[in-house]
Amino acid sequence: MRKASMFLVLALGLTACNPDGMAFGAQTQVVPGLATAGLIDLTQEYGKETGTYLGYRSEITQPTLKFSVAPGSLGVTVTSYTVEALDSAGSRFGGNDASYSRNGLSFRVPGGYACPTGDTDQCAGADKTAVARQVAFPDSVALIKQGVVEQLNQNYYVADECENLSMRISFRGFDDLNRSWSSPAFTNADIGTECNRELVEEQP
């Protein structure tokens, strides 16, 4: 009987709400995913008269990301992420910009609870209702670097190949119980690529 009582106290402790109403429950199920795919639109320019390669122009549409939060999950605060650009074989693509990290973030993903007032998960435990959430990661974050575009141009110039690309992205931070958190593997963030050639007037 005493062992059962101790177990009950431990379980209640794990699911207790802290004073500010933020932490509740013990699980953390926050999974990153792709909201919209990225795109690199590349055009190589050649002189009309000589056929000489003059350079390229490009337009990058950055992908946007989201987090799927399971009902009853704790929230997390994202403090850093790492991105790797990959070719169709899964190898790094893009020279020095193929892999890079960003630290110093403080982006909170709310937990899988709703409160009676407003779109928040911060209220007394008795007022919380478990819900699923989709939370957008700030779209101001540039995930595709210029070095990836330069490598795409080089491949297209040498091998006449518009490489299919993707990204591997991982996030780190801490959950609402101040425990270290790392996101599950997110390895299929597609980057669409469009490669073309265009004849242009050469400058005298």
Side-chain angles (χ1 to χ4, degrees):
M1 186 70 177
R2 185 173 179 181
K3 288 183 179 179
S5 298
M6 289 176 64
F7 178 79
L8 179 60
V9 169
L10 178 60
L12 288 172
L14 287 173
T15 58
C17 180
N18 68 10
D20 63 9
M22 184 180 289
F24 194 77
Q27 63 170 335
T28 305
Q29 295 182 10
V30 179
V31 180
L34 195 64
T36 61
L39 174 65
I40 301 174
D41 190 345
L42 173 75
T43 301
Q44 292 182 344
E45 298 181 339
Y46 291 80
K48 282 184 178 180
E49 300 297 327
T50 64
T52 302
Y53 172 69
L54 302 175
Y56 75 92
R57 65 179 189 271
S58 64
E59 183 176 346
I60 300 175
T61 302
Q62 296 288 344
T64 57
L65 305 178
K66 64 181 178 181
F67 292 94
S68 297
V69 183
S73 172
L74 292 168
V76 300
T77 298
V78 178
T79 58
S80 64
Y81 65 84
T82 298
V83 177
E84 289 182 283
L86 307 172
D87 64 17
S88 56
S91 300
R92 289 185 179 182
F93 185 91
N96 292 334
D97 284 342
S99 179
Y100 51 92
S101 299
R102 181 175 175 182
N103 301 306
L105 302 178
S106 184
F107 175 72
R108 184 170 183 270
V109 180
Y113 292 97
C115 293
T117 56
D119 184 22
T120 179
D121 64 336
Q122 299 183 47
C123 58
D127 295 330
K128 291 179 183 283
T129 303
V131 296
R133 287 182 184 275
Q134 296 285 323
V135 181
F137 194 59
D139 59 10
S140 59
V141 175
L143 298 171
I144 302 173
K145 298 292 188 179
Q146 189 60 36
V148 175
V149 181
E150 292 171 2
Q151 186 65 51
L152 180 68
N153 179 65
Q154 179 69 14
N155 283 27
Y156 189 50
Y157 181 79
V158 172
D160 193 26
E161 198 172 296
C162 195
E163 183 71 49
N164 293 318
L165 303 177
S166 64
M167 290 183 295
R168 180 188 293 122
I169 308 173
S170 58
F171 295 89
R172 292 167 299 280
F174 56 89
D175 68 16
D176 286 345
L177 293 179
N178 208 32
R179 301 175 301 189
S180 178
W181 169 82
S182 297
S183 70
F186 177 33
T187 59
N188 193 28
D190 291 333
I191 304 172
T193 56
E194 297 180 4
C195 301
N196 301 283
R197 294 187 174 96
E198 184 177 300
L199 296 176
V200 299
E201 297 290 346
E202 296 181 61
Q203 299 298 320

